Amino acid sequence: MRKVTIVGTGAIGASWTALYLARGFNVVATDPAPNAETDLRRFIDSAWATLEVLGLSPNASRDHLEFTRDMKQALADTDFVQESGPERQLLKVKLFADIDAATPPDSIIASSSSGLTMSIIQSRCRHPERCVIGHPFNPPHMIPLVEVVAGTKTSPETVQRALSFYRSIGKKAIHVRKEMVGHVANRIQGALYREVVYLIEQGVLGVADADAAVCWGPGLRWGVMGPNMLFHLGGGQGGIQHFMDHLSGPVSTWWKDLGTITEMTPRIKRTIIDGVLKEAGDRSIEELERERDTVLLQLLAARAQAEHAVQPDLLDVADRIP
């Protein structure tokens, strides 16, 4: 695959575009918004220093980007489509049908949809067998995870091709074997956040302390290993067997006491908004993004070093992004 088409250049589409350019692809992007091209090129310029730290492929170049408002033109002769349009079901179904009609039949059409199922999205496509979910975590040019999910009409070959393609560009692609609304990572994230909101709503702790409880506790460990492997270590010398035999009972007790909050009331929305703004202080969104990206780069570099796949100077990244 050499030509990638990005349909929709909002936050997710722009981040995908930057990544594909950094991996040496020819990228054609399309979006009907009036300032789409200007905003896209500005984002790529801003993200490029970060991508340089992460490592550029030999053919990487921002000059390999072409922008057009003509979606049919953008899709002509493409090898891979990364759709990142608005998360609205009717729009997405029509958009996929239009993309399907305009692309070569052997190309793959992947959707960045964060929650819709591919069975619905592909329902009006003439070639649904080459349509698949390729859901990233934001920002895609930095966070490695991609969830690959088939629809009922997606071929097994397409799933394997998509997994291989994403892995070839350095993504941690996982195969979600069963369709569920929200896929997997967002469901996990949503379950955690529901309990966070419940604890705040119950007055157990404030917004800033809730954030601290996650990022300075389990969040640090989750950046190293997943919960199953961590509980294997939590079982001591007996490993996961000891954990299941002796510690799974207390965990089950916690489950029974978890919050059952099912909606964001106006009061809890206001509490969280006020708490977040107080926690952010005078730091702008741009400053907070830089703080996030600097720490993410350091974490990614540490992970890569642990896997013996990074140059030592990659760890010194704090002053190398704008």
PDB file of all heavy atoms in Angstrom, residues 263-296:
ATOM      1  N   GLU A 263     -26.429   8.639  34.145  1.00  0.00           N
ATOM      2  CA  GLU A 263     -26.474   9.840  33.329  1.00  0.00           C
ATOM      3  C   GLU A 263     -25.769  10.985  34.022  1.00  0.00           C
ATOM      4  O   GLU A 263     -25.615  10.992  35.256  1.00  0.00           O
ATOM      5  CB  GLU A 263     -27.918  10.241  33.016  1.00  0.00           C
ATOM      6  CG  GLU A 263     -28.728  10.635  34.241  1.00  0.00           C
ATOM      7  CD  GLU A 263     -30.115  11.126  33.882  1.00  0.00           C
ATOM      8  OE1 GLU A 263     -30.273  11.675  32.782  1.00  0.00           O
ATOM      9  OE2 GLU A 263     -31.030  10.956  34.703  1.00  0.00           O
ATOM     10  N   MET A 264     -25.337  11.928  33.228  1.00  0.00           N
ATOM     11  CA  MET A 264     -24.706  13.139  33.732  1.00  0.00           C
ATOM     12  C   MET A 264     -25.792  14.168  34.045  1.00  0.00           C
ATOM     13  O   MET A 264     -26.391  14.733  33.124  1.00  0.00           O
ATOM     14  CB  MET A 264     -23.739  13.700  32.691  1.00  0.00           C
ATOM     15  CG  MET A 264     -22.508  12.858  32.483  1.00  0.00           C
ATOM     16  SD  MET A 264     -21.251  13.253  33.704  1.00  0.00           S
ATOM     17  CE  MET A 264     -19.795  12.614  32.856  1.00  0.00           C
ATOM     18  N   THR A 265     -26.053  14.404  35.307  1.00  0.00           N
ATOM     19  CA  THR A 265     -27.034  15.423  35.673  1.00  0.00           C
ATOM     20  C   THR A 265     -26.416  16.808  35.514  1.00  0.00           C
ATOM     21  O   THR A 265     -25.179  16.946  35.515  1.00  0.00           O
ATOM     22  CB  THR A 265     -27.482  15.234  37.128  1.00  0.00           C
ATOM     23  OG1 THR A 265     -26.348  15.451  37.989  1.00  0.00           O
ATOM     24  CG2 THR A 265     -28.038  13.838  37.355  1.00  0.00           C
ATOM     25  N   PRO A 266     -27.227  17.834  35.382  1.00  0.00           N
ATOM     26  CA  PRO A 266     -26.676  19.197  35.299  1.00  0.00           C
ATOM     27  C   PRO A 266     -25.766  19.533  36.478  1.00  0.00           C
ATOM     28  O   PRO A 266     -24.742  20.200  36.306  1.00  0.00           O
ATOM     29  CB  PRO A 266     -27.930  20.073  35.283  1.00  0.00           C
ATOM     30  CG  PRO A 266     -28.982  19.206  34.678  1.00  0.00           C
ATOM     31  CD  PRO A 266     -28.693  17.830  35.183  1.00  0.00           C
ATOM     32  N   ARG A 267     -26.109  19.047  37.665  1.00  0.00           N
ATOM     33  CA  ARG A 267     -25.296  19.362  38.849  1.00  0.00           C
ATOM     34  C   ARG A 267     -23.912  18.736  38.776  1.00  0.00           C
ATOM     35  O   ARG A 267     -22.907  19.407  39.045  1.00  0.00           O
ATOM     36  CB  ARG A 267     -26.013  18.875  40.105  1.00  0.00           C
ATOM     37  CG  ARG A 267     -25.297  19.264  41.405  1.00  0.00           C
ATOM     38  CD  ARG A 267     -26.144  18.926  42.619  1.00  0.00           C
ATOM     39  NE  ARG A 267     -26.243  17.490  42.818  1.00  0.00           N
ATOM     40  CZ  ARG A 267     -25.334  16.776  43.493  1.00  0.00           C
ATOM     41  NH1 ARG A 267     -24.283  17.368  44.025  1.00  0.00           N
ATOM     42  NH2 ARG A 267     -25.488  15.468  43.638  1.00  0.00           N
ATOM     43  N   ILE A 268     -23.829  17.459  38.375  1.00  0.00           N
ATOM     44  CA  ILE A 268     -22.518  16.820  38.317  1.00  0.00           C
ATOM     45  C   ILE A 268     -21.703  17.366  37.151  1.00  0.00           C
ATOM     46  O   ILE A 268     -20.478  17.489  37.240  1.00  0.00           O
ATOM     47  CB  ILE A 268     -22.646  15.274  38.243  1.00  0.00           C
ATOM     48  CG1 ILE A 268     -21.277  14.625  38.458  1.00  0.00           C
ATOM     49  CG2 ILE A 268     -23.238  14.826  36.919  1.00  0.00           C
ATOM     50  CD1 ILE A 268     -20.642  14.933  39.795  1.00  0.00           C
ATOM     51  N   LYS A 269     -22.361  17.726  36.036  1.00  0.00           N
ATOM     52  CA  LYS A 269     -21.647  18.372  34.935  1.00  0.00           C
ATOM     53  C   LYS A 269     -20.976  19.651  35.423  1.00  0.00           C
ATOM     54  O   LYS A 269     -19.813  19.919  35.126  1.00  0.00           O
ATOM     55  CB  LYS A 269     -22.602  18.690  33.790  1.00  0.00           C
ATOM     56  CG  LYS A 269     -23.058  17.497  32.968  1.00  0.00           C
ATOM     57  CD  LYS A 269     -23.994  17.961  31.851  1.00  0.00           C
ATOM     58  CE  LYS A 269     -24.527  16.806  31.036  1.00  0.00           C
ATOM     59  NZ  LYS A 269     -25.454  17.267  29.978  1.00  0.00           N
ATOM     60  N   ARG A 270     -21.739  20.469  36.169  1.00  0.00           N
ATOM     61  CA  ARG A 270     -21.207  21.741  36.653  1.00  0.00           C
ATOM     62  C   ARG A 270     -20.051  21.511  37.621  1.00  0.00           C
ATOM     63  O   ARG A 270     -19.039  22.224  37.581  1.00  0.00           O
ATOM     64  CB  ARG A 270     -22.315  22.519  37.346  1.00  0.00           C
ATOM     65  CG  ARG A 270     -21.972  23.956  37.739  1.00  0.00           C
ATOM     66  CD  ARG A 270     -21.893  24.851  36.505  1.00  0.00           C
ATOM     67  NE  ARG A 270     -20.518  25.059  36.067  1.00  0.00           N
ATOM     68  CZ  ARG A 270     -20.201  25.538  34.865  1.00  0.00           C
ATOM     69  NH1 ARG A 270     -21.147  25.806  33.993  1.00  0.00           N
ATOM     70  NH2 ARG A 270     -18.945  25.732  34.537  1.00  0.00           N
ATOM     71  N   THR A 271     -20.199  20.504  38.466  1.00  0.00           N
ATOM     72  CA  THR A 271     -19.136  20.187  39.428  1.00  0.00           C
ATOM     73  C   THR A 271     -17.848  19.810  38.717  1.00  0.00           C
ATOM     74  O   THR A 271     -16.757  20.271  39.092  1.00  0.00           O
ATOM     75  CB  THR A 271     -19.578  19.030  40.347  1.00  0.00           C
ATOM     76  OG1 THR A 271     -20.733  19.427  41.080  1.00  0.00           O
ATOM     77  CG2 THR A 271     -18.465  18.651  41.322  1.00  0.00           C
ATOM     78  N   ILE A 272     -17.972  18.981  37.694  1.00  0.00           N
ATOM     79  CA  ILE A 272     -16.775  18.536  36.971  1.00  0.00           C
ATOM     80  C   ILE A 272     -16.173  19.680  36.168  1.00  0.00           C
ATOM     81  O   ILE A 272     -14.943  19.860  36.140  1.00  0.00           O
ATOM     82  CB  ILE A 272     -17.122  17.339  36.062  1.00  0.00           C
ATOM     83  CG1 ILE A 272     -17.472  16.121  36.933  1.00  0.00           C
ATOM     84  CG2 ILE A 272     -15.959  17.014  35.128  1.00  0.00           C
ATOM     85  CD1 ILE A 272     -17.962  14.923  36.146  1.00  0.00           C
ATOM     86  N   ILE A 273     -17.015  20.475  35.504  1.00  0.00           N
ATOM     87  CA  ILE A 273     -16.501  21.616  34.736  1.00  0.00           C
ATOM     88  C   ILE A 273     -15.726  22.564  35.642  1.00  0.00           C
ATOM     89  O   ILE A 273     -14.588  22.958  35.336  1.00  0.00           O
ATOM     90  CB  ILE A 273     -17.654  22.358  34.039  1.00  0.00           C
ATOM     91  CG1 ILE A 273     -18.232  21.497  32.912  1.00  0.00           C
ATOM     92  CG2 ILE A 273     -17.181  23.709  33.481  1.00  0.00           C
ATOM     93  CD1 ILE A 273     -19.524  22.041  32.328  1.00  0.00           C
ATOM     94  N   ASP A 274     -16.321  22.932  36.773  1.00  0.00           N
ATOM     95  CA  ASP A 274     -15.657  23.852  37.698  1.00  0.00           C
ATOM     96  C   ASP A 274     -14.367  23.235  38.228  1.00  0.00           C
ATOM     97  O   ASP A 274     -13.338  23.927  38.351  1.00  0.00           O
ATOM     98  CB  ASP A 274     -16.591  24.192  38.865  1.00  0.00           C
ATOM     99  CG  ASP A 274     -17.781  25.038  38.450  1.00  0.00           C
ATOM    100  OD1 ASP A 274     -17.727  25.635  37.352  1.00  0.00           O
ATOM    101  OD2 ASP A 274     -18.763  25.096  39.217  1.00  0.00           O
ATOM    102  N   GLY A 275     -14.398  21.934  38.522  1.00  0.00           N
ATOM    103  CA  GLY A 275     -13.213  21.275  39.049  1.00  0.00           C
ATOM    104  C   GLY A 275     -12.087  21.188  38.039  1.00  0.00           C
ATOM    105  O   GLY A 275     -10.913  21.396  38.383  1.00  0.00           O
ATOM    106  N   VAL A 276     -12.431  20.882  36.796  1.00  0.00           N
ATOM    107  CA  VAL A 276     -11.404  20.785  35.755  1.00  0.00           C
ATOM    108  C   VAL A 276     -10.776  22.148  35.484  1.00  0.00           C
ATOM    109  O   VAL A 276      -9.543  22.268  35.347  1.00  0.00           O
ATOM    110  CB  VAL A 276     -12.002  20.200  34.458  1.00  0.00           C
ATOM    111  CG1 VAL A 276     -11.030  20.372  33.298  1.00  0.00           C
ATOM    112  CG2 VAL A 276     -12.340  18.726  34.649  1.00  0.00           C
ATOM    113  N   LEU A 277     -11.600  23.196  35.405  1.00  0.00           N
ATOM    114  CA  LEU A 277     -11.055  24.529  35.153  1.00  0.00           C
ATOM    115  C   LEU A 277     -10.151  24.984  36.292  1.00  0.00           C
ATOM    116  O   LEU A 277      -9.120  25.631  36.064  1.00  0.00           O
ATOM    117  CB  LEU A 277     -12.200  25.521  34.941  1.00  0.00           C
ATOM    118  CG  LEU A 277     -13.030  25.304  33.671  1.00  0.00           C
ATOM    119  CD1 LEU A 277     -14.175  26.310  33.590  1.00  0.00           C
ATOM    120  CD2 LEU A 277     -12.156  25.396  32.424  1.00  0.00           C
ATOM    121  N   LYS A 278     -10.501  24.615  37.517  1.00  0.00           N
ATOM    122  CA  LYS A 278      -9.645  24.944  38.658  1.00  0.00           C
ATOM    123  C   LYS A 278      -8.346  24.158  38.590  1.00  0.00           C
ATOM    124  O   LYS A 278      -7.259  24.696  38.857  1.00  0.00           O
ATOM    125  CB  LYS A 278     -10.387  24.645  39.960  1.00  0.00           C
ATOM    126  CG  LYS A 278      -9.583  24.996  41.211  1.00  0.00           C
ATOM    127  CD  LYS A 278     -10.388  24.710  42.477  1.00  0.00           C
ATOM    128  CE  LYS A 278      -9.578  25.053  43.727  1.00  0.00           C
ATOM    129  NZ  LYS A 278     -10.350  24.774  44.969  1.00  0.00           N
ATOM    130  N   GLU A 279      -8.436  22.886  38.211  1.00  0.00           N
ATOM    131  CA  GLU A 279      -7.237  22.049  38.099  1.00  0.00           C
ATOM    132  C   GLU A 279      -6.317  22.542  36.994  1.00  0.00           C
ATOM    133  O   GLU A 279      -5.091  22.545  37.132  1.00  0.00           O
ATOM    134  CB  GLU A 279      -7.650  20.602  37.829  1.00  0.00           C
ATOM    135  CG  GLU A 279      -6.504  19.613  37.821  1.00  0.00           C
ATOM    136  CD  GLU A 279      -6.961  18.193  37.540  1.00  0.00           C
ATOM    137  OE1 GLU A 279      -8.185  17.957  37.406  1.00  0.00           O
ATOM    138  OE2 GLU A 279      -6.094  17.310  37.447  1.00  0.00           O
ATOM    139  N   ALA A 280      -6.902  22.990  35.881  1.00  0.00           N
ATOM    140  CA  ALA A 280      -6.100  23.491  34.755  1.00  0.00           C
ATOM    141  C   ALA A 280      -5.433  24.817  35.083  1.00  0.00           C
ATOM    142  O   ALA A 280      -4.346  25.125  34.574  1.00  0.00           O
ATOM    143  CB  ALA A 280      -6.978  23.636  33.524  1.00  0.00           C
ATOM    144  N   GLY A 281      -6.073  25.607  35.938  1.00  0.00           N
ATOM    145  CA  GLY A 281      -5.505  26.901  36.308  1.00  0.00           C
ATOM    146  C   GLY A 281      -5.373  27.819  35.116  1.00  0.00           C
ATOM    147  O   GLY A 281      -6.289  27.932  34.293  1.00  0.00           O
ATOM    148  N   ASP A 282      -4.215  28.454  34.992  1.00  0.00           N
ATOM    149  CA  ASP A 282      -4.019  29.393  33.882  1.00  0.00           C
ATOM    150  C   ASP A 282      -3.352  28.740  32.675  1.00  0.00           C
ATOM    151  O   ASP A 282      -2.937  29.421  31.736  1.00  0.00           O
ATOM    152  CB  ASP A 282      -3.197  30.605  34.338  1.00  0.00           C
ATOM    153  CG  ASP A 282      -1.827  30.218  34.877  1.00  0.00           C
ATOM    154  OD1 ASP A 282      -1.513  28.994  34.902  1.00  0.00           O
ATOM    155  OD2 ASP A 282      -1.075  31.115  35.279  1.00  0.00           O
ATOM    156  N   ARG A 283      -3.271  27.403  32.678  1.00  0.00           N
ATOM    157  CA  ARG A 283      -2.671  26.708  31.540  1.00  0.00           C
ATOM    158  C   ARG A 283      -3.683  26.615  30.397  1.00  0.00           C
ATOM    159  O   ARG A 283      -4.815  26.170  30.593  1.00  0.00           O
ATOM    160  CB  ARG A 283      -2.228  25.299  31.938  1.00  0.00           C
ATOM    161  CG  ARG A 283      -1.068  25.252  32.915  1.00  0.00           C
ATOM    162  CD  ARG A 283      -0.793  23.832  33.384  1.00  0.00           C
ATOM    163  NE  ARG A 283      -1.900  23.316  34.196  1.00  0.00           N
ATOM    164  CZ  ARG A 283      -1.969  22.061  34.652  1.00  0.00           C
ATOM    165  NH1 ARG A 283      -0.998  21.199  34.363  1.00  0.00           N
ATOM    166  NH2 ARG A 283      -2.995  21.671  35.392  1.00  0.00           N
ATOM    167  N   SER A 284      -3.280  27.027  29.210  1.00  0.00           N
ATOM    168  CA  SER A 284      -4.149  26.967  28.036  1.00  0.00           C
ATOM    169  C   SER A 284      -4.265  25.533  27.538  1.00  0.00           C
ATOM    170  O   SER A 284      -3.508  24.646  27.963  1.00  0.00           O
ATOM    171  CB  SER A 284      -3.589  27.844  26.913  1.00  0.00           C
ATOM    172  OG  SER A 284      -2.369  27.298  26.425  1.00  0.00           O
ATOM    173  N   ILE A 285      -5.231  25.304  26.631  1.00  0.00           N
ATOM    174  CA  ILE A 285      -5.362  23.982  26.012  1.00  0.00           C
ATOM    175  C   ILE A 285      -4.048  23.595  25.333  1.00  0.00           C
ATOM    176  O   ILE A 285      -3.589  22.442  25.439  1.00  0.00           O
ATOM    177  CB  ILE A 285      -6.520  23.972  24.996  1.00  0.00           C
ATOM    178  CG1 ILE A 285      -7.869  24.152  25.704  1.00  0.00           C
ATOM    179  CG2 ILE A 285      -6.511  22.681  24.183  1.00  0.00           C
ATOM    180  CD1 ILE A 285      -8.250  23.007  26.614  1.00  0.00           C
ATOM    181  N   GLU A 286      -3.425  24.554  24.639  1.00  0.00           N
ATOM    182  CA  GLU A 286      -2.171  24.271  23.940  1.00  0.00           C
ATOM    183  C   GLU A 286      -1.070  23.874  24.923  1.00  0.00           C
ATOM    184  O   GLU A 286      -0.287  22.955  24.663  1.00  0.00           O
ATOM    185  CB  GLU A 286      -1.730  25.487  23.115  1.00  0.00           C
ATOM    186  CG  GLU A 286      -2.597  25.781  21.901  1.00  0.00           C
ATOM    187  CD  GLU A 286      -3.952  26.394  22.265  1.00  0.00           C
ATOM    188  OE1 GLU A 286      -4.104  26.890  23.409  1.00  0.00           O
ATOM    189  OE2 GLU A 286      -4.853  26.358  21.402  1.00  0.00           O
ATOM    190  N   GLU A 287      -1.011  24.561  26.057  1.00  0.00           N
ATOM    191  CA  GLU A 287       0.003  24.225  27.056  1.00  0.00           C
ATOM    192  C   GLU A 287      -0.254  22.848  27.665  1.00  0.00           C
ATOM    193  O   GLU A 287       0.686  22.075  27.896  1.00  0.00           O
ATOM    194  CB  GLU A 287       0.018  25.299  28.149  1.00  0.00           C
ATOM    195  CG  GLU A 287       0.575  26.641  27.686  1.00  0.00           C
ATOM    196  CD  GLU A 287       0.376  27.742  28.703  1.00  0.00           C
ATOM    197  OE1 GLU A 287      -0.666  27.725  29.416  1.00  0.00           O
ATOM    198  OE2 GLU A 287       1.247  28.628  28.792  1.00  0.00           O
ATOM    199  N   LEU A 288      -1.508  22.537  27.921  1.00  0.00           N
ATOM    200  CA  LEU A 288      -1.845  21.230  28.461  1.00  0.00           C
ATOM    201  C   LEU A 288      -1.540  20.122  27.456  1.00  0.00           C
ATOM    202  O   LEU A 288      -1.072  19.033  27.828  1.00  0.00           O
ATOM    203  CB  LEU A 288      -3.320  21.192  28.857  1.00  0.00           C
ATOM    204  CG  LEU A 288      -3.691  22.001  30.104  1.00  0.00           C
ATOM    205  CD1 LEU A 288      -5.201  22.169  30.201  1.00  0.00           C
ATOM    206  CD2 LEU A 288      -3.140  21.340  31.363  1.00  0.00           C
ATOM    207  N   GLU A 289      -1.793  20.372  26.167  1.00  0.00           N
ATOM    208  CA  GLU A 289      -1.466  19.392  25.134  1.00  0.00           C
ATOM    209  C   GLU A 289       0.041  19.146  25.095  1.00  0.00           C
ATOM    210  O   GLU A 289       0.486  18.001  24.946  1.00  0.00           O
ATOM    211  CB  GLU A 289      -1.967  19.873  23.776  1.00  0.00           C
ATOM    212  CG  GLU A 289      -3.482  19.775  23.603  1.00  0.00           C
ATOM    213  CD  GLU A 289      -3.944  20.291  22.259  1.00  0.00           C
ATOM    214  OE1 GLU A 289      -3.178  21.055  21.624  1.00  0.00           O
ATOM    215  OE2 GLU A 289      -5.061  19.933  21.840  1.00  0.00           O
ATOM    216  N   ARG A 290       0.828  20.226  25.213  1.00  0.00           N
ATOM    217  CA  ARG A 290       2.277  20.058  25.192  1.00  0.00           C
ATOM    218  C   ARG A 290       2.744  19.250  26.404  1.00  0.00           C
ATOM    219  O   ARG A 290       3.611  18.371  26.287  1.00  0.00           O
ATOM    220  CB  ARG A 290       2.973  21.420  25.178  1.00  0.00           C
ATOM    221  CG  ARG A 290       4.498  21.296  25.051  1.00  0.00           C
ATOM    222  CD  ARG A 290       5.196  22.646  25.109  1.00  0.00           C
ATOM    223  NE  ARG A 290       6.612  22.489  24.816  1.00  0.00           N
ATOM    224  CZ  ARG A 290       7.528  22.089  25.685  1.00  0.00           C
ATOM    225  NH1 ARG A 290       7.167  21.774  26.923  1.00  0.00           N
ATOM    226  NH2 ARG A 290       8.795  21.972  25.345  1.00  0.00           N
ATOM    227  N   GLU A 291       2.140  19.522  27.551  1.00  0.00           N
ATOM    228  CA  GLU A 291       2.474  18.761  28.749  1.00  0.00           C
ATOM    229  C   GLU A 291       2.146  17.288  28.555  1.00  0.00           C
ATOM    230  O   GLU A 291       2.949  16.398  28.883  1.00  0.00           O
ATOM    231  CB  GLU A 291       1.695  19.331  29.938  1.00  0.00           C
ATOM    232  CG  GLU A 291       1.936  18.622  31.257  1.00  0.00           C
ATOM    233  CD  GLU A 291       1.115  19.236  32.380  1.00  0.00           C
ATOM    234  OE1 GLU A 291       0.955  20.469  32.400  1.00  0.00           O
ATOM    235  OE2 GLU A 291       0.610  18.466  33.235  1.00  0.00           O
ATOM    236  N   ARG A 292       0.951  17.019  28.012  1.00  0.00           N
ATOM    237  CA  ARG A 292       0.561  15.636  27.738  1.00  0.00           C
ATOM    238  C   ARG A 292       1.526  14.976  26.766  1.00  0.00           C
ATOM    239  O   ARG A 292       1.998  13.845  27.004  1.00  0.00           O
ATOM    240  CB  ARG A 292      -0.856  15.604  27.165  1.00  0.00           C
ATOM    241  CG  ARG A 292      -1.357  14.223  26.750  1.00  0.00           C
ATOM    242  CD  ARG A 292      -2.505  14.320  25.759  1.00  0.00           C
ATOM    243  NE  ARG A 292      -2.091  14.909  24.492  1.00  0.00           N
ATOM    244  CZ  ARG A 292      -2.920  15.248  23.509  1.00  0.00           C
ATOM    245  NH1 ARG A 292      -4.221  15.071  23.655  1.00  0.00           N
ATOM    246  NH2 ARG A 292      -2.453  15.775  22.384  1.00  0.00           N
ATOM    247  N   ASP A 293       1.821  15.646  25.673  1.00  0.00           N
ATOM    248  CA  ASP A 293       2.633  15.036  24.626  1.00  0.00           C
ATOM    249  C   ASP A 293       4.063  14.798  25.083  1.00  0.00           C
ATOM    250  O   ASP A 293       4.694  13.802  24.705  1.00  0.00           O
ATOM    251  CB  ASP A 293       2.616  15.915  23.371  1.00  0.00           C
ATOM    252  CG  ASP A 293       1.247  15.949  22.709  1.00  0.00           C
ATOM    253  OD1 ASP A 293       0.358  15.182  23.139  1.00  0.00           O
ATOM    254  OD2 ASP A 293       1.056  16.749  21.772  1.00  0.00           O
ATOM    255  N   THR A 294       4.610  15.708  25.902  1.00  0.00           N
ATOM    256  CA  THR A 294       5.967  15.526  26.409  1.00  0.00           C
ATOM    257  C   THR A 294       6.061  14.274  27.272  1.00  0.00           C
ATOM    258  O   THR A 294       6.967  13.451  27.116  1.00  0.00           O
ATOM    259  CB  THR A 294       6.406  16.755  27.228  1.00  0.00           C
ATOM    260  OG1 THR A 294       6.418  17.908  26.383  1.00  0.00           O
ATOM    261  CG2 THR A 294       7.800  16.551  27.798  1.00  0.00           C
ATOM    262  N   VAL A 295       5.104  14.115  28.182  1.00  0.00           N
ATOM    263  CA  VAL A 295       5.120  12.942  29.055  1.00  0.00           C
ATOM    264  C   VAL A 295       4.840  11.666  28.259  1.00  0.00           C
ATOM    265  O   VAL A 295       5.457  10.616  28.501  1.00  0.00           O
ATOM    266  CB  VAL A 295       4.101  13.108  30.199  1.00  0.00           C
ATOM    267  CG1 VAL A 295       4.057  11.841  31.064  1.00  0.00           C
ATOM    268  CG2 VAL A 295       4.460  14.310  31.057  1.00  0.00           C
ATOM    269  N   LEU A 296       3.927  11.746  27.267  1.00  0.00           N
ATOM    270  CA  LEU A 296       3.661  10.591  26.419  1.00  0.00           C
ATOM    271  C   LEU A 296       4.915  10.153  25.670  1.00  0.00           C
ATOM    272  O   LEU A 296       5.218   8.961  25.573  1.00  0.00           O
ATOM    273  CB  LEU A 296       2.549  10.912  25.417  1.00  0.00           C
ATOM    274  CG  LEU A 296       1.112  10.739  25.887  1.00  0.00           C
ATOM    275  CD1 LEU A 296       0.146  11.195  24.799  1.00  0.00           C
ATOM    276  CD2 LEU A 296       0.833   9.286  26.253  1.00  0.00           C
TER     277      LEU A 296
END
